[in-house]
mmCIF file of all heavy atoms in Angstrom:
data_model
loop_
_atom_site.group_PDB
_atom_site.id
_atom_site.type_symbol
_atom_site.label_atom_id
_atom_site.label_comp_id
_atom_site.label_asym_id
_atom_site.label_seq_id
_atom_site.Cartn_x
_atom_site.Cartn_y
_atom_site.Cartn_z
ATOM 1 N N LYS X 322 -15.512 35.552 11.085
ATOM 2 C CA LYS X 322 -16.277 36.889 11.061
ATOM 3 C C LYS X 322 -16.438 37.364 12.532
ATOM 4 O O LYS X 322 -16.226 38.444 12.869
ATOM 5 C CB LYS X 322 -17.600 36.636 10.456
ATOM 6 C CG LYS X 322 -18.413 37.949 10.251
ATOM 7 C CD LYS X 322 -19.526 37.771 9.270
ATOM 8 C CE LYS X 322 -20.545 36.784 9.686
ATOM 9 N NZ LYS X 322 -21.646 36.653 8.650
ATOM 10 N N ALA X 323 -16.862 36.375 13.376
ATOM 11 C CA ALA X 323 -17.072 36.674 14.844
ATOM 12 C C ALA X 323 -15.825 37.198 15.429
ATOM 13 O O ALA X 323 -15.770 38.159 16.248
ATOM 14 C CB ALA X 323 -17.617 35.497 15.534
ATOM 15 N N SER X 324 -14.643 36.566 15.128
ATOM 16 C CA SER X 324 -13.324 36.942 15.678
ATOM 17 C C SER X 324 -13.046 38.470 15.335
ATOM 18 O O SER X 324 -12.378 39.051 16.096
ATOM 19 C CB SER X 324 -12.289 36.000 15.256
ATOM 20 O OG SER X 324 -12.601 34.665 15.578
ATOM 21 N N SER X 325 -13.332 38.777 14.071
ATOM 22 C CA SER X 325 -12.980 40.104 13.627
ATOM 23 C C SER X 325 -13.890 41.214 14.253
ATOM 24 O O SER X 325 -13.595 42.371 14.241
ATOM 25 C CB SER X 325 -13.018 40.218 12.144
ATOM 26 O OG SER X 325 -14.351 40.081 11.677
ATOM 27 N N ILE X 326 -14.997 40.780 14.783
ATOM 28 C CA ILE X 326 -15.975 41.749 15.398
ATOM 29 C C ILE X 326 -15.303 42.507 16.536
ATOM 30 O O ILE X 326 -15.521 43.770 16.618
ATOM 31 C CB ILE X 326 -17.267 41.104 15.757
ATOM 32 C CG1 ILE X 326 -18.141 40.899 14.473
ATOM 33 C CG2 ILE X 326 -18.099 41.872 16.833
ATOM 34 C CD1 ILE X 326 -19.335 40.125 14.667
ATOM 35 N N LEU X 327 -14.612 41.821 17.381
ATOM 36 C CA LEU X 327 -13.940 42.538 18.568
ATOM 37 C C LEU X 327 -12.862 43.460 18.093
ATOM 38 O O LEU X 327 -12.697 44.480 18.682
ATOM 39 C CB LEU X 327 -13.381 41.486 19.489
ATOM 40 C CG LEU X 327 -14.357 40.962 20.592
ATOM 41 C CD1 LEU X 327 -13.559 40.005 21.429
ATOM 42 C CD2 LEU X 327 -14.844 42.100 21.489
ATOM 43 N N PHE X 328 -12.198 43.087 17.011
ATOM 44 C CA PHE X 328 -10.922 43.846 16.746
ATOM 45 C C PHE X 328 -11.019 44.554 15.412
ATOM 46 O O PHE X 328 -10.239 45.469 15.139
ATOM 47 C CB PHE X 328 -9.714 42.792 16.690
ATOM 48 C CG PHE X 328 -9.764 41.923 17.822
ATOM 49 C CD1 PHE X 328 -10.080 40.575 17.725
ATOM 50 C CD2 PHE X 328 -9.346 42.352 19.086
ATOM 51 C CE1 PHE X 328 -10.088 39.708 18.805
ATOM 52 C CE2 PHE X 328 -9.374 41.518 20.195
ATOM 53 C CZ PHE X 328 -9.682 40.197 19.958
ATOM 54 N N GLY X 329 -11.962 44.234 14.513
ATOM 55 C CA GLY X 329 -12.022 44.849 13.247
ATOM 56 C C GLY X 329 -13.082 45.971 13.146
ATOM 57 O O GLY X 329 -13.747 46.258 14.092
ATOM 58 N N ASN X 330 -13.298 46.405 11.891
ATOM 59 C CA ASN X 330 -14.372 47.349 11.575
ATOM 60 C C ASN X 330 -15.595 46.589 11.224
ATOM 61 O O ASN X 330 -15.808 46.408 9.969
ATOM 62 C CB ASN X 330 -13.916 48.369 10.554
ATOM 63 C CG ASN X 330 -12.654 49.126 10.943
ATOM 64 O OD1 ASN X 330 -12.586 49.448 12.108
ATOM 65 N ND2 ASN X 330 -11.752 49.304 10.065
ATOM 66 N N SER X 331 -16.424 46.216 12.112
ATOM 67 C CA SER X 331 -17.564 45.485 11.721
ATOM 68 C C SER X 331 -18.874 46.330 11.840
ATOM 69 O O SER X 331 -18.813 47.405 12.432
ATOM 70 C CB SER X 331 -17.732 44.209 12.523
ATOM 71 O OG SER X 331 -17.515 44.433 13.861
ATOM 72 N N THR X 332 -19.973 45.826 11.320
ATOM 73 C CA THR X 332 -21.199 46.688 11.245
ATOM 74 C C THR X 332 -22.306 45.971 12.050
ATOM 75 O O THR X 332 -22.138 44.833 12.527
ATOM 76 C CB THR X 332 -21.651 46.791 9.803
ATOM 77 O OG1 THR X 332 -21.959 45.380 9.354
ATOM 78 C CG2 THR X 332 -20.636 47.336 8.879
ATOM 79 N N ALA X 333 -23.402 46.699 12.161
ATOM 80 C CA ALA X 333 -24.591 46.166 12.843
ATOM 81 C C ALA X 333 -25.013 44.881 12.253
ATOM 82 O O ALA X 333 -25.421 43.923 12.871
ATOM 83 C CB ALA X 333 -25.720 47.174 12.926
ATOM 84 N N SER X 334 -24.953 44.817 10.827
ATOM 85 C CA SER X 334 -25.448 43.705 10.136
ATOM 86 C C SER X 334 -24.513 42.470 10.406
ATOM 87 O O SER X 334 -25.024 41.362 10.473
ATOM 88 C CB SER X 334 -25.607 43.924 8.729
ATOM 89 O OG SER X 334 -24.377 44.216 8.122
ATOM 90 N N ASP X 335 -23.238 42.754 10.613
ATOM 91 C CA ASP X 335 -22.302 41.609 11.043
ATOM 92 C C ASP X 335 -22.673 41.020 12.345
ATOM 93 O O ASP X 335 -22.799 39.801 12.535
ATOM 94 C CB ASP X 335 -20.890 42.146 11.171
ATOM 95 C CG ASP X 335 -20.202 42.473 9.847
ATOM 96 O OD1 ASP X 335 -20.768 41.865 8.775
ATOM 97 O OD2 ASP X 335 -19.262 43.249 9.718
ATOM 98 N N LEU X 336 -23.011 41.930 13.237
ATOM 99 C CA LEU X 336 -23.433 41.483 14.635
ATOM 100 C C LEU X 336 -24.767 40.640 14.510
ATOM 101 O O LEU X 336 -24.818 39.637 15.260
ATOM 102 C CB LEU X 336 -23.670 42.695 15.528
ATOM 103 C CG LEU X 336 -22.477 43.379 16.137
ATOM 104 C CD1 LEU X 336 -22.894 44.584 16.985
ATOM 105 C CD2 LEU X 336 -21.718 42.449 17.054
ATOM 106 N N PHE X 348 -18.787 38.209 23.312
ATOM 107 C CA PHE X 348 -18.779 39.306 24.354
ATOM 108 C C PHE X 348 -18.800 38.720 25.745
ATOM 109 O O PHE X 348 -19.360 39.282 26.660
ATOM 110 C CB PHE X 348 -19.954 40.251 24.028
ATOM 111 C CG PHE X 348 -19.680 40.945 22.786
ATOM 112 C CD1 PHE X 348 -20.394 40.561 21.574
ATOM 113 C CD2 PHE X 348 -18.783 42.036 22.704
ATOM 114 C CE1 PHE X 348 -20.144 41.243 20.379
ATOM 115 C CE2 PHE X 348 -18.556 42.660 21.492
ATOM 116 C CZ PHE X 348 -19.255 42.254 20.328
ATOM 117 N N VAL X 395 -23.799 52.257 18.954
ATOM 118 C CA VAL X 395 -24.792 51.205 19.212
ATOM 119 C C VAL X 395 -24.597 50.158 18.163
ATOM 120 O O VAL X 395 -24.662 50.494 17.054
ATOM 121 C CB VAL X 395 -26.212 51.851 19.175
ATOM 122 C CG1 VAL X 395 -27.281 50.742 19.208
ATOM 123 C CG2 VAL X 395 -26.393 52.814 20.348
ATOM 124 N N ASN X 396 -24.403 48.927 18.669
ATOM 125 C CA ASN X 396 -24.178 47.872 17.687
ATOM 126 C C ASN X 396 -23.077 48.203 16.682
ATOM 127 O O ASN X 396 -23.282 48.032 15.482
ATOM 128 C CB ASN X 396 -25.448 47.426 16.982
ATOM 129 C CG ASN X 396 -26.460 46.838 17.963
ATOM 130 O OD1 ASN X 396 -26.139 46.516 19.059
ATOM 131 N ND2 ASN X 396 -27.725 46.848 17.474
ATOM 132 N N LYS X 397 -22.003 48.771 17.136
ATOM 133 C CA LYS X 397 -20.784 49.066 16.306
ATOM 134 C C LYS X 397 -20.942 50.234 15.375
ATOM 135 O O LYS X 397 -20.128 50.541 14.568
ATOM 136 C CB LYS X 397 -20.376 47.847 15.511
ATOM 137 C CG LYS X 397 -19.759 46.679 16.343
ATOM 138 C CD LYS X 397 -18.314 47.005 16.571
ATOM 139 C CE LYS X 397 -17.592 45.895 17.293
ATOM 140 N NZ LYS X 397 -16.211 46.228 17.519
ATOM 141 N N GLU X 398 -22.101 50.968 15.493
ATOM 142 C CA GLU X 398 -22.264 52.155 14.598
ATOM 143 C C GLU X 398 -22.415 53.421 15.454
ATOM 144 O O GLU X 398 -23.241 53.410 16.403
ATOM 145 C CB GLU X 398 -23.469 51.906 13.671
ATOM 146 C CG GLU X 398 -23.084 50.738 12.656
ATOM 147 C CD GLU X 398 -24.188 50.428 11.677
ATOM 148 O OE1 GLU X 398 -25.304 50.889 11.768
ATOM 149 O OE2 GLU X 398 -23.835 49.538 10.844
ATOM 150 N N LYS X 399 -21.620 54.429 15.066
ATOM 151 C CA LYS X 399 -21.628 55.716 15.866
ATOM 152 C C LYS X 399 -23.041 56.361 15.887
ATOM 153 O O LYS X 399 -23.809 56.350 14.976
ATOM 154 C CB LYS X 399 -20.683 56.715 15.203
ATOM 155 C CG LYS X 399 -19.193 56.252 15.262
ATOM 156 C CD LYS X 399 -18.568 56.541 16.616
ATOM 157 C CE LYS X 399 -17.118 56.286 16.484
ATOM 158 N NZ LYS X 399 -16.468 56.082 17.843
ATOM 159 N N LEU X 418 -25.665 46.169 21.848
ATOM 160 C CA LEU X 418 -24.334 46.378 22.295
ATOM 161 C C LEU X 418 -23.935 47.823 22.279
ATOM 162 O O LEU X 418 -24.040 48.511 21.255
ATOM 163 C CB LEU X 418 -23.404 45.579 21.293
ATOM 164 C CG LEU X 418 -21.895 45.592 21.644
ATOM 165 C CD1 LEU X 418 -21.633 44.807 22.877
ATOM 166 C CD2 LEU X 418 -21.017 45.145 20.472
ATOM 167 N N GLN X 420 -21.044 50.835 23.094
ATOM 168 C CA GLN X 420 -19.607 50.881 23.100
ATOM 169 C C GLN X 420 -19.215 52.290 23.302
ATOM 170 O O GLN X 420 -19.635 53.215 22.690
ATOM 171 C CB GLN X 420 -19.113 50.344 21.791
ATOM 172 C CG GLN X 420 -17.603 50.161 21.594
ATOM 173 C CD GLN X 420 -17.289 49.554 20.290
ATOM 174 O OE1 GLN X 420 -18.147 49.246 19.453
ATOM 175 N NE2 GLN X 420 -16.034 49.550 19.944
ATOM 176 N N TYR X 426 -17.011 47.936 26.176
ATOM 177 C CA TYR X 426 -18.317 47.402 25.742
ATOM 178 C C TYR X 426 -19.287 47.238 26.925
ATOM 179 O O TYR X 426 -18.864 47.138 28.084
ATOM 180 C CB TYR X 426 -18.062 46.030 25.079
ATOM 181 C CG TYR X 426 -17.344 45.994 23.839
ATOM 182 C CD1 TYR X 426 -16.010 45.658 23.654
ATOM 183 C CD2 TYR X 426 -18.036 46.400 22.623
ATOM 184 C CE1 TYR X 426 -15.372 45.616 22.433
ATOM 185 C CE2 TYR X 426 -17.340 46.412 21.367
ATOM 186 C CZ TYR X 426 -16.078 46.030 21.312
ATOM 187 O OH TYR X 426 -15.381 46.000 20.134
#
Side-chain angles (χ1 to χ4, degrees):
K322 184 164 64 180
S324 303
S325 68
I326 280 172
L327 270 181
F328 312 106
N330 300 319
S331 44
T332 62
S334 62
D335 288 339
L336 280 176
F348 294 100
V395 169
N396 295 343
K397 288 280 185 179
E398 292 179 353
K399 296 280 188 198
L418 182 71
Q420 187 179 353
Y426 289 105

